[in-house]
Amino acid sequence: FVIPDFVALEAAVAGIHDTVKGIEDGKVADYIPQLGRVDPAKFGIALCTVDGQRFAVGDTDSVFCVQSICKPINYCLTLEEHGTELVHRHVGREPSGRGFNELTLNNDGLPHNPMINSGAIMCCSLIRPGWEMADRFDHVAETWRRLAGGGAVGFNNAVYLSERRTADRNFALGYFMREHKSFPAGTELTETLEFYFQCSSIEMDARSLSVVAASLANGGVNPFTGERIFSADTVRKCLSLMSSCGMYDYSGEFAFTIGLPAKSGVSGGLIIVVPGVMGICVWSPRLDALGNSVRGVAFCKELVNRFNFHVYDSF
Ligand code: GLN
């Protein structure tokens, strides 16, 4: 087993869950009513190793929307479809040092990276652009199903409708990029934005998301089905950008303190990848000022205090 003493890890994670549960700081996202109504007390941690050992504690079978956690998956899909060179003609790979939805582009007039809104909208424009919208969504949802290895993958239509209704900033980002001719020729802006909102409204529980993260930890192969969903090269690139850009404007600090590729979403979900070892999902809806789950970040700090999972731990 990749984790020889799994029982000790289970006990430690359950212990951290107990400790971190006491933290009630932060605020549930309320820019749309559907997120504002989520029970702030929810808290679940699920993990899955690359050799299929699993553990879950707390609210790990309530579903929530993936929101920004769709960004790394969509980025992988673009790499698989077009290759690195073409994808990065349309999106950069540097941290922006700015908020996730800030109206800003890099010096080439491109979104800074695929992990912020502008870059994620760009990635959506690159996923099966010639296909019908329904088929494009099916393609994304089917990819999530394969990554989750059979775990249920749903869609929250109310979230989608609300996202679309309150999307002024995302539309502004879209027009800003169109003005800079950043999109591939022939991109239909409204469809692209709607596709982005649909991807953000995919929902699943923490258990399934931990398997998605484990498929990334396992170089793109689902640990249970053995199916290869993404190439090792695609996953390496995605994890690199999750390391540098996955935690919004906290990414540098997170890389320093935690040292693991991760991606957070505004619903309070957080996936953490321990490459070659396991995938973890933490869900707790209260967010800090930068938009990351307060308990999610606190969990990560406790975890790396107890185990040498930081990529630069040397013993
Ligand atoms: N859906 C929201 C948006 O696109 C938030 C994305 C996120 O999780 N940060 O603005």
Side-chain angles (χ1 to χ4, degrees):
F1 287 117
V2 63
I3 296 193
D5 193 353
F6 194 69
V7 176
L9 178 66
E10 287 181 337
V13 170
I16 298 173
H17 181 270
D18 268 2
T19 314
V20 169
K21 206 176 165 126
I23 304 175
E24 295 188 344
D25 302 339
K27 223 172 131 288
V28 175
D30 59 1
Y31 69 96
I32 55 172
Q34 285 69 23
L35 287 176
R37 284 197 286 262
V38 173
D39 177 0
K42 292 278 187 192
F43 183 30
I45 303 169
L47 62 88
C48 173
T49 66
V50 295
D51 49 7
Q53 300 197 85
R54 301 182 73 167
F55 177 67
V57 54
D59 301 301
T60 52
D61 40 35
S62 320
V63 297
F64 57 93
C65 286
V66 296
Q67 290 288 351
S68 280
I69 304 175
C70 74
K71 290 168 180 165
I73 305 308
N74 282 355
Y75 174 57
C76 287
L77 282 169
T78 66
L79 291 180
E80 294 277 312
E81 186 174 340
H82 303 285
T84 314
E85 205 269 327
L86 188 146
V87 169
H88 286 288
R89 259 185 251 160
H90 297 282
V91 58
R93 44 188 193 239
E94 287 289 345
S96 67
R98 316 288 281 270
F100 68 91
N101 64 358
E102 231 176 276
L103 199 55
T104 176
L105 296 173
N106 70 17
N107 293 334
D108 301 322
L110 299 180
H112 285 83
N113 66 70
M115 304 297 158
I116 54 175
N117 285 20
S118 52
I121 293 165
M122 183 57 70
C123 285
C124 281
S125 78
L126 287 159
I127 298 173
R128 308 286 169 186
W131 289 13
E132 287 296 325
M133 289 307 295
D135 293 327
R136 295 172 82 183
F137 180 77
D138 269 345
H139 171 57
V140 171
E142 188 52 32
T143 301
W144 278 100
R145 277 185 203 107
R146 293 163 65 203
L147 288 164
V153 174
F155 175 74
N156 189 323
N157 192 47
V159 169
Y160 164 64
L161 294 170
S162 276
E163 287 287 348
R164 197 177 58 174
R165 238 194 191 298
T166 49
D168 288 345
R169 176 60 63 92
N170 286 321
F171 272 93
L173 288 167
Y175 281 107
F176 193 43
M177 289 190 284
R178 193 166 81 176
E179 180 195 2
H180 282 81
K181 308 211 178 334
S182 327
F183 285 109
T187 296
E188 217 284 303
L189 185 57
T190 306
E191 279 194 355
T192 300
L193 287 160
E194 286 174 352
F195 188 28
Y196 168 66
F197 307 140
Q198 287 164 8
C199 294
S200 307
S201 307
I202 286 173
E203 62 178 12
M204 61 185 89
D205 63 23
R207 285 173 204 256
S208 300
L209 263 169
S210 73
V211 181
V212 172
S215 297
L216 296 178
N218 200 29
V221 175
N222 183 291
F224 297 108
T225 63
E227 187 194 358
R228 175 167 293 287
I229 298 109
F230 298 133
S231 74
D233 184 63
T234 288
V235 171
R236 186 183 74 173
K237 285 165 180 155
C238 179
L239 294 181
S240 299
L241 290 185
M242 285 167 68
S243 299
S244 55
C245 316
M247 297 294 288
Y248 307 125
D249 214 5
Y250 188 69
S251 300
E253 181 60 30
F254 193 87
F256 182 81
T257 326
I258 313 297
L260 290 170
K263 186 73 200 83
S264 57
V266 79
S267 49
L270 170 61
I271 58 168
I272 306 122
V273 176
V274 188
V277 179
M278 66 177 162
I280 308 172
C281 175
V282 184
W283 176 50
S284 172
R286 289 197 197 91
L287 309 177
D288 61 24
L290 297 170
N292 295 311
S293 168
V294 174
R295 287 172 176 164
V297 172
F299 165 80
C300 293
K301 287 181 179 162
E302 291 291 332
L303 185 75
V304 296
N305 274 342
R306 292 179 208 204
F307 298 92
N308 59 349
F309 290 138
H310 190 300
V311 283
Y312 301 123
D313 272 328
S314 47
F315 54 88

